[in-house]
Amino acid sequence: MTTAPNNFSVAVTYVDSDNMPVDYRSEIIALRDVVVSKLGALGINVVTINAASPVESSSSALETADGVVVMGGVDIDPALYGQSVESDTVKHLHPEADEYEIEMIRGAYGADTPVFGICRGSQLINVAFGGTLIQDLGPGIHVTAVSENEPTEDGDWNNHDIVISEGTALAEILGESRIDARVSHHQAVDALGEGLRVSAHADDGVIEGIEATGGWVVGVQWHPEEKNSDPAQLNRLLEGFVLAIEERTRQRAA
């Protein structure tokens, strides 16, 4: 693993609020800290932003950010993609946090600043580009506890294969056409946002990866940062993200 030759700064956004269960909040912070640690090992200066209670505006945060990572977490308010709540599994909504992170994504894209989204972050990318979400996938392979209505020894987590689409940025980053992924999501991308393409899907057809057709915006529905995930996945994804930051910096200097 190489370190960045410049003092790049990356904003890592997440959501932590009092309306979330304590255990869930702890898990969100733990997953965030894995990404922060990995970016630090790559020589990146990381600024964490709790979108539920940010200390500065999204536009101000973007002024000093060379890249943006949007972490996983709570469900997105369906009103932001033109729908009402259709399932009692949609919970812990925080519309203000959603709007803040969507502003970050749109602002970064407009400034050609690389964006990497994980799970909720990938879903927010789709919503930011005008897309919609499946509010609840129902029983299946993507989340154990919601599907079976009871927790297992592995909690809400599951593993399943993901097919990576040829010719995408994701395929170039991961260097594989099929991976075993760590998952925990009961929602997913439905109608694709304008300017996005599918970069990965599960065997049941559920979209597991999206990316912009112009600019470096990559979202993955699975959790490469989870402790039982293949660590090579997160390493490759973050290295690809940092390389995109370096390239953008070179282009601006030219």
Side-chain angles (χ1 to χ4, degrees), residues 22-238:
V22 173
D23 289 348
Y24 187 45
R25 295 175 71 178
S26 297
E27 187 172 48
I28 295 299
I29 298 302
L31 294 172
R32 179 206 67 184
D33 287 348
V34 170
V35 172
V36 169
S37 177
K38 291 288 187 180
L39 285 170
L42 288 169
I44 300 297
N45 175 48
V46 179
V47 178
T48 59
I49 300 173
N50 182 3
S53 56
V55 297
E56 60 182 338
S57 67
S58 60
S59 58
S60 178
L62 284 170
E63 288 180 1
T64 56
D66 298 297
V68 175
V69 176
V70 185
M71 296 296 302
V74 296
D75 294 338
I76 299 165
D77 184 1
L80 294 174
Y81 49 91
Q83 298 179 13
S84 57
V85 175
E86 298 173 354
S87 170
D88 59 8
T89 64
V90 178
K91 54 190 176 182
H92 310 314
L93 300 180
H94 202 304
E96 295 84 1
D98 297 340
E99 291 170 358
Y100 185 92
E101 291 183 301
I102 287 172
E103 288 173 0
M104 287 283 287
I105 292 165
R106 289 174 175 166
Y109 179 68
D112 197 29
T113 298
V115 178
F116 176 47
I118 298 174
C119 197
R120 163 187 163 87
S122 185
Q123 295 169 5
L124 277 167
I125 288 170
N126 193 54
V127 173
F129 279 71
T132 64
L133 303 179
I134 300 170
Q135 291 192 33
D136 187 63
L137 292 166
I141 61 176
H142 302 284
V143 59
T144 304
V146 171
S147 300
E148 300 177 0
N149 296 315
E150 61 181 17
T152 67
E153 291 183 1
D154 206 15
D156 291 348
W157 295 97
N158 203 358
N159 282 70
H160 66 64
D161 279 4
I162 287 177
V163 179
I164 311 299
S165 304
E166 292 184 10
T168 61
L170 189 60
E172 182 177 356
I173 291 167
L174 293 176
E176 299 182 68
S177 60
R178 179 180 285 267
I179 62 170
D180 177 56
R182 192 73 167 150
V183 296
S184 180
H185 64 101
H186 76 106
Q187 299 190 324
V189 169
D190 191 6
L192 201 61
E194 184 176 356
L196 298 176
R197 64 182 175 188
V198 175
S199 59
H201 63 273
D203 287 334
D204 64 358
V206 168
I207 295 172
E208 292 280 351
I210 59 175
E211 61 189 45
T213 56
W216 203 96
V217 179
V218 172
V220 297
Q221 182 62 71
W222 73 95
H223 282 273
E225 83 283 24
E226 206 274 332
K227 62 183 179 182
N228 292 313
S229 179
D230 177 0
Q233 293 175 15
L234 182 61
N235 291 340
R236 291 170 185 166
L237 286 161
L238 291 181

